[in-house]
Amino acid sequence: MALTRPVEDHPYSHLIDTLADVKFFNPLKLNDPRYAMLPVSIRILLEAAIRNCDGFYTKTSDIQNILDWQHQQSKAEVPFTPARVLLQDFTGIPAMVDLAAMRDALVSLGVDPDRVNPKCPTDLIVDHSLQIDYSKCATQNSPNPGGGSGSSRPAASHPLVGGGSQCRGQRGCSKSACSDAPSSAGRPVQQIENTPLLCPFHLKPVSETDMTVKYQEMELLRNKERLQFFKWCSKAFKNVNIIPPDVGTVHQVNLEYLSRVIQVRDGFIYPDSVVGTDSHTTMVNGLGILGWGVGGIEAEAVMLGQPVSLALPQVVGCKLVGSVNPLATSIDIVLGITKLLRQAAINGRFVEFFGPAVSQLSAPDRTTIANMCPEYNATISFFPVDQVTLEHFKRTNFSQERLEFLASYLKAVKLFRLYEDPTGDPEYSEVIEINLSTMVPCISGPRRPQDRVAVCNMKEDFQSCLNEKVGFKGFNISKEKQQTCVPFQHCGEKYQLAHGSVVIAAVISCTNNCNPSVMLTAGLLAKKAVEAGLVVKPYIQTSLAPGSGMVTHYLNTSGVLPYFNQLGFEVIGYGCATCVGNTAPLPGAVVDAIKQGDLVACGVLSGNRHFEGRLCDCVRANYLASPPLVVAYAIAGTVGIDFAKEPLGVTSEGKDVYLRDIWPSREEVQQMEEQTVIASIFQNLRLKMEKGNPFWNNIECPDSVVFPWDPKSTYIRSPSFFSKLSKEVQPSTSIENAHVLLFLGDKVTTDHISPAGSIARVSAAAKYLLSKRLTPREFNSYGARRGNDAVMTRGTFASIKLRNRFVSKPGPKTVHFPSDQTLDVFEAAERYQRDNISLIILAGKDYGSGSSRDWVAKGPYLLGVRAVIAESFEKLHKSQLIGMGIMPLQFLPGENPDSLEISGMEKFTIILPENLSPRQQLTVKTSEGKSFFVTAEFDSDREVIFHQHGGLLRYVARNLL
């Protein structure tokens, strides 16, 4: 958000500066030397606090605490108001349903419903509704699909996805030669590119050109109600941007289209920042944008104008030094940094990168590292904007004028970094130094992925494997046989094989190796190798299996694909091939030579699996390597080579060519990646956004300010959060004679409170859906039905693992004490509400731990729960309870239900004073004559106000009256 109060009333209006007729708050005008020493990520927190200082959500004391970060880190609680909210559709729909219901509440009170809109700009990407209904499953038999004595390679025009494998499984080398022609019954089945798609339900051919259309039709049919509602939201609400289906995934759209680095709104410029319900939100940290993932209810609170509350974080400075190893790929660097940060015990802190070596990382490298936050338990991994970032945006959707404006603002408020200049380095809570020169390229093998070997040690390691007894790293080859060489003929030429000879080399673009930089590195290496006159021996079975057509597209656009072809790495199609053993048979002469010398022949591939015998039964050593190293080992023809000391090959003129001579520089790779891959991706996404989706455009939706709810809908329903909403706040009243709905123990998680999986056929939610004439196959999941409060309320405490002390077995049951019946939790709560009986929950330690879910507080609220008394609360869940008007009450230290001799079968009265204050002690009396004290777990006056209004939603609604 830009401003939360008029400029003339703003306590920091004296900090306003102007840049190109646009205003901004300049923290430098505080004239406080501490600002220049703050980590850049903390400076962004400070700017947001200054700009949004309203005396209610954000106070001047918060600004002072952030400025005093060195002493207040991990102590002070501070607010953060992000510039925008990012929602994916599953978590977005309940938030939008709540806003639509709020409009209904305003109409009932005679107020213009158009006043209900998100206060914080919100982007909602519809990307979680696509399912696979069609597949390319046509197959075709193919005689002699590559290899064998007839031809050294399959023809380039023969686009096989995988060769038939006689050299594995049922037809192993021990029974017949790899080159034996298969019998008709065992003829290999080949998947052919550009064959018709078949509907898996009807086995009817579907034209590939119509595939996308068919997917869109199925998506529209399956999700019609949700899409119509989203379409209405896009028209009815201001500050909401709905990205329709078939544009891209939420993190892709956020990274490639929505991220702006700076925002210009209401005449003010300020840093872009975001909280999102997508786990990949942190990717934008790599572009200098502060952001992290939150739960659905937290995102909804930000939409309604409430800041995120967080303990002022410690910031670990990750100093990058040294030069990248010339042979190291982006994946080597990313995984190396991730491993070291995981070992550093980050534990929820901010990580901010600095140091002279940061500029060696490309923008894609940085976003990949930032995306790995969960791997090392950091909240963010932040890369302040530098020249590399600006060059990245120059090739995307930023004009030169916009780039200059962006850079001028960032430099004016000291958010721009020159990593090579140590005088601009901030102070950090702790500094971890990582030397990029230690990120050496590795390969894995010879039998297991976890057995990593540095390339510089590969020759020595393979020799040790020959010596070791048979095992994961041993072949037990006697000393006298280790020098065995077996000559053979192939296509009229003489060759020889030895231990370590490469006979299979497969470049595969999947999993980690789908990173464009590693494929482009391999392509540039192939180009330089061909130009140097190097070749791959024709008996080596080579192949190139791109993970998608996009990979082939950028390899072709960049001009490297022909060089792959010249070395024998021809595109075989799109699908799993060598990794899963779909390899063509080796030439018979090669198999005979391996068997004759009992050789440890090798396969090298850039996939993710290489178990012994999977590639070919006669190939005992199999290594996983990056795509460029696959090409390098194929040219060398052996894994027993020291690339630093031994040449890859010799030119026709007799000149030695070393790997270092043809290995492309990182600058070459990054330049090609930005020019061919990044630019192409952004152009494609812009076209999709501008052209629009015809199916989305043709969806009909109501043209009304309030949403016309369909009473027959089982996906979208108006929730009752605003029932009996009055214009005036009713005085707080004590909770009298409340029954205990559930008596729970320690570690009750959000999974126990609000399950997210499938709907059990015997559950309360299932009974409701059956009453709506749905079959069990149509139940779908709780996640898919988040927009229906009737389903989600019935799903509250529906976990089969819930342990309630009132019943003997785990499950979603409780005792209804007035009738002494054991019922479903929902049914018991329904009876209590029908009799106007208030409800509470008793719990142990860490109530509400686990991942955030939007219904973990909404569900108990609709069940009629007014308070939870626990030994301790998970902090985030405590805020969620307050946001829904449920009181979090904590037993005094050392006390619990057992020490107080509480059975849970009593009636409880919680006495509330007329003027409730944060962390006030309250008296609880039982029907058995006992009394004890609890602490009201409100941390601020703001939270008390929310409680008095009945929760955040009702507070926001009243402010609009």
Side-chain angles (χ1 to χ4, degrees):
M1 291 182 286
L3 290 178
T4 54
R5 65 191 300 175
V7 173
E8 56 271 16
D9 298 332
H10 202 289
Y12 290 95
S13 58
H14 60 286
L15 302 184
I16 295 176
D17 258 350
T18 303
L19 177 65
D21 298 325
V22 181
K23 298 177 180 178
F24 67 96
F25 285 90
N26 190 348
L28 289 173
K29 296 181 75 173
L30 289 167
N31 295 318
D32 193 316
R34 292 176 296 180
Y35 177 75
M37 303 311 297
L38 293 176
V40 176
S41 52
I42 300 298
R43 296 178 202 177
I44 295 175
L45 288 181
L46 178 64
E47 189 281 338
I50 291 172
R51 177 167 35 86
N52 292 286
C53 186
D54 59 359
F56 180 66
Y57 286 122
T58 305
K59 301 177 180 179
T60 55
S61 58
D62 295 319
I63 282 84
Q64 293 305 314
N65 283 335
I66 298 174
L67 266 174
D68 195 25
W69 171 80
Q70 278 290 3
H71 300 99
Q72 295 298 325
Q73 54 183 297
S74 300
K75 299 177 183 177
E77 195 83 11
V78 297
F80 171 54
T81 303
R84 56 190 174 93
V85 175
L86 180 72
L87 303 174
Q88 44 96 334
D89 50 354
F90 269 17
T91 51
I93 198 162
M96 302 313 298
V97 164
D98 290 347
L99 292 181
M102 191 182 295
R103 285 194 167 187
D104 292 342
L106 264 63
V107 168
S108 67
L109 294 171
V111 179
D112 181 9
D114 199 33
R115 299 179 67 179
V116 176
N117 293 287
K119 291 185 177 181
C120 186
T122 301
D123 297 298
L124 192 156
I125 292 87
V126 185
D127 76 327
H128 277 50
S129 56
L130 183 64
Q131 294 183 23
I132 298 175
D133 297 294
Y134 303 95
S135 61
K136 180 179 282 189
C137 55
T139 59
Q140 179 176 323
N141 292 335
S142 173
N144 193 24
S149 58
S151 171
S152 64
R153 307 190 191 285
S157 61
H158 194 60
L160 299 176
V161 168
S165 177
Q166 291 81 33
C167 193
R168 62 183 178 90
Q170 295 85 351
R171 305 196 73 233
C173 294
S174 59
K175 295 185 178 180
S176 59
C178 289
S179 58
D180 286 352
S183 66
S184 59
R187 187 172 294 160
V189 177
Q190 301 299 325
Q191 184 178 335
I192 306 300
E193 188 182 4
N194 297 325
T195 49
L197 292 149
L198 301 183
C199 169
F201 302 112
H202 307 104
L203 298 181
K204 299 286 187 182
V206 179
S207 168
E208 187 167 4
T209 57
D210 294 335
M211 177 176 63
T212 302
V213 175
K214 292 292 184 183
Y215 275 130
Q216 290 174 344
E217 287 177 349
M218 290 297 294
E219 187 173 6
L220 177 61
L221 180 64
R222 181 181 289 116
N223 299 283
K224 183 178 179 181
E225 290 181 41
R226 295 169 64 244
L227 295 179
Q228 284 180 329
F229 178 72
F230 283 139
K231 187 68 173 288
W232 174 80
C233 291
S234 69
K235 294 182 177 182
F237 289 108
K238 302 179 183 69
N239 255 358
V240 173
N241 177 33
I242 306 289
I243 307 295
D246 197 41
V247 170
T249 60
V250 58
H251 50 279
Q252 176 198 11
V253 174
N254 184 33
L255 190 69
E256 299 168 7
Y257 185 78
L258 300 174
S259 296
R260 302 172 179 91
V261 184
I262 58 171
Q263 296 273 354
V264 180
R265 188 179 178 86
D266 300 332
F268 276 81
I269 181 175
Y270 50 95
D272 189 12
S273 56
V274 61
V275 292
T277 59
D278 177 61
S279 59
H280 301 281
T281 302
T282 53
M283 288 185 79
V284 297
N285 296 164
L287 301 179
I289 299 168
L290 191 65
W292 60 86
V294 296
I297 199 166
E298 291 75 48
E300 187 173 347
V302 175
M303 289 170 62
L304 296 173
Q306 184 181 3
V308 176
S309 181
L310 71 159
L312 194 57
Q314 292 185 350
V315 182
V316 176
C318 186
K319 185 176 183 179
L320 302 184
V321 299
S323 297
V324 175
N325 186 299
L327 301 186
T329 66
S330 293
I331 295 301
D332 294 320
I333 296 167
V334 168
L335 294 182
I337 291 175
T338 299
K339 178 182 178 180
L340 292 174
L341 288 176
R342 189 188 298 121
Q343 295 170 349
I346 300 299
N347 296 330
R349 294 183 284 179
F350 280 17
V351 173
E352 183 169 305
F353 289 85
F354 74 109
V358 175
S359 56
Q360 297 179 51
L361 302 181
S362 68
D365 291 342
R366 299 176 189 188
T367 57
T368 305
I369 292 169
N371 186 46
M372 301 291 279
C373 272
E375 291 293 322
Y376 43 88
N377 200 27
T379 300
I380 67 166
S381 283
F382 189 73
F383 288 84
V385 175
D386 69 338
Q387 193 60 39
V388 171
T389 320
L390 296 182
E391 289 297 323
H392 169 78
F393 280 112
K394 186 177 182 180
R395 294 186 174 93
T396 58
N397 55 354
F398 279 45
S399 65
Q400 185 62 35
E401 181 183 7
R402 186 179 177 187
L403 277 174
E404 292 173 359
F405 180 64
L406 182 155
S408 297
Y409 168 72
L410 295 178
K411 291 174 181 178
V413 293
K414 285 191 175 297
L415 296 180
F416 188 87
R417 283 303 319 266
L418 295 173
Y419 288 111
E420 296 81 2
D421 181 10
T423 61
D425 290 348
E427 293 181 355
Y428 294 105
S429 310
E430 175 188 352
V431 172
I432 298 172
E433 184 170 294
I434 295 179
N435 192 328
L436 295 185
S437 64
T438 64
M439 307 295 168
V440 297
C442 294
I443 65 176
S444 297
R447 290 189 171 97
R448 300 188 304 177
Q450 61 265 42
D451 294 328
R452 289 171 62 82
V453 183
V455 171
C456 58
N457 299 328
M458 182 58 198
K459 183 176 183 178
E460 179 183 326
D461 186 82
F462 181 75
Q463 183 63 44
S464 69
C465 288
L466 295 180
N467 295 328
E468 292 293 327
K469 64 181 180 180
V470 175
F472 292 127
K473 294 278 289 183
F475 298 102
N476 195 26
I477 304 297
S478 61
K479 294 285 186 181
E480 61 271 15
K481 291 185 177 182
Q482 289 182 12
Q483 304 303 318
T484 299
C485 289
V486 180
F488 69 99
Q489 279 196 343
H490 178 76
C491 295
E493 297 289 334
K494 293 182 179 181
Y495 302 96
Q496 64 178 16
L497 293 180
H499 293 293
S501 291
V502 174
V503 294
I504 297 175
V507 173
I508 303 167
S509 170
C510 71
T511 58
N512 278 342
N513 290 310
C514 67
N515 186 309
S517 66
V518 294
M519 292 297 289
L520 291 172
T521 301
L524 286 169
L525 179 71
K527 178 177 183 291
K528 293 187 176 189
V530 170
E531 291 172 345
L534 300 182
V535 296
V536 174
K537 294 179 177 65
Y539 63 80
I540 298 176
Q541 187 188 97
T542 51
S543 60
L544 172 59
S548 70
M550 171 59 80
V551 179
T552 305
H553 171 73
Y554 68 66
L555 291 178
N556 191 46
T557 303
S558 62
V560 299
L561 192 57
Y563 298 99
F564 268 126
N565 292 338
Q566 288 187 56
L567 291 180
F569 291 95
E570 296 168 341
V571 175
I572 59 170
Y574 308 96
C576 292
T578 310
C579 282
V580 295
N582 289 345
T583 54
L586 295 175
V590 171
V591 176
D592 291 342
I594 293 172
K595 294 169 67 175
Q596 179 184 335
D598 190 26
L599 300 176
V600 180
C602 300
V604 186
L605 67 153
S606 62
N608 63 354
R609 290 291 184 271
H610 65 338
F611 302 121
E612 182 179 14
R614 176 172 279 198
L615 304 192
C616 183
D617 274 359
C618 62
V619 179
R620 284 190 275 174
N622 299 297
Y623 289 92
L624 298 182
S626 66
L629 285 176
V630 171
V631 176
Y633 279 112
I635 295 171
T638 179
V639 299
I641 180 175
D642 184 340
F643 286 130
K645 300 177 181 178
E646 301 173 59
L648 273 180
V650 181
T651 66
S652 57
E653 291 82 19
K655 180 183 177 183
D656 288 342
V657 179
Y658 291 83
L659 182 59
R660 59 180 173 268
D661 298 329
I662 62 171
W663 191 275
S665 68
R666 284 182 58 79
E667 290 74 23
E668 287 179 273
V669 175
Q670 290 174 2
Q671 182 179 8
M672 181 172 285
E673 182 179 17
E674 290 282 356
Q675 291 176 347
T676 63
V677 183
I678 303 299
S680 177
I681 289 173
F682 276 82
Q683 182 181 13
N684 181 53
L685 187 58
R686 280 201 305 275
L687 287 174
K688 282 187 175 182
M689 296 296 294
E690 293 167 2
K691 184 178 179 181
N693 182 320
F695 282 89
W696 172 261
N697 296 338
N698 292 330
I699 291 176
E700 296 182 357
C701 71
D703 187 14
S704 57
V705 178
V706 294
F707 186 71
W709 307 96
D710 181 359
K712 296 180 182 179
S713 174
T714 57
Y715 277 96
I716 298 173
R717 238 176 64 120
S718 179
S720 56
F721 300 137
F722 304 99
S723 62
K724 300 180 182 178
L725 180 70
S726 60
K727 291 186 177 182
E728 301 299 328
V729 180
Q730 303 300 312
S732 298
T733 58
S734 297
I735 301 173
E736 297 184 353
N737 297 318
H739 274 286
V740 177
L741 178 64
L742 293 162
F743 192 174
L744 307 172
D746 297 340
K747 299 287 184 181
V748 174
T749 70
T750 52
D751 283 334
H752 294 120
I753 302 170
S754 183
S758 59
I759 298 172
R761 296 190 179 194
V762 295
S763 64
K767 294 176 185 176
Y768 166 79
L769 293 173
L770 288 170
S771 73
K772 298 296 182 181
R773 299 186 177 181
L774 269 65
T775 65
R777 291 188 65 181
E778 298 171 307
F779 285 175
N780 214 320
S781 65
Y782 286 112
R785 295 191 181 273
R786 286 177 179 173
N788 187 325
D789 65 307
V791 172
M792 298 307 294
T793 306
R794 287 166 171 80
T796 303
F797 296 111
S799 170
I800 60 173
K801 297 182 179 180
L802 183 72
R803 292 187 176 274
N804 178 11
R805 290 172 65 170
F806 292 152
V807 293
S808 58
K809 296 180 179 180
K813 300 288 184 180
T814 194
V815 175
H816 178 254
F817 289 108
S819 65
D820 200 29
Q821 288 181 282
T822 299
L823 305 171
D824 285 336
V825 173
F826 172 79
E827 189 177 348
E830 191 176 38
R831 288 196 188 183
Y832 281 125
Q833 289 192 76
R834 191 170 57 218
D835 297 332
N836 293 317
I837 296 175
S838 297
L839 294 172
I840 65 170
I841 290 173
L842 296 178
K845 300 182 181 70
D846 300 324
Y847 180 78
S849 57
S851 60
S852 174
R853 299 230 172 105
D854 41 11
W855 276 93
V856 289
K858 291 178 177 178
Y861 171 83
L862 292 180
L863 288 176
V865 175
R866 293 196 54 192
V868 177
I869 307 178
E871 290 185 66
S872 64
F873 291 89
E874 199 278 333
K875 181 181 177 181
L876 183 57
H877 183 60
K878 182 181 72 173
S879 299
Q880 294 169 340
L881 293 174
I882 294 169
M884 287 308 302
I886 298 174
M887 294 185 68
L889 305 176
Q890 187 164 310
F891 290 106
L892 297 186
E895 294 186 352
N896 57 46
D898 293 332
S899 68
L900 296 170
E901 297 182 345
I902 295 171
S903 68
M905 295 183 284
E906 307 91 338
K907 296 178 183 178
F908 292 78
T909 296
I910 302 170
I911 301 171
L912 298 183
E914 185 174 341
N915 296 311
L916 185 63
S917 59
R919 305 201 60 79
Q920 184 173 352
Q921 286 195 0
L922 307 178
T923 301
V924 181
K925 295 182 178 181
T926 74
S927 56
E928 300 297 319
K930 295 179 181 178
S931 65
F932 58 94
F933 293 103
V934 293
T935 302
E937 287 292 298
F938 300 112
D939 292 328
S940 65
D941 293 332
R942 183 179 74 231
E943 291 187 341
V944 173
I945 292 173
F946 290 160
H947 170 71
Q948 291 169 342
H949 279 266
L952 175 64
L953 292 175
R954 296 170 78 90
Y955 168 79
V956 171
R958 281 201 180 91
N959 280 349
L960 296 173
L961 299 178

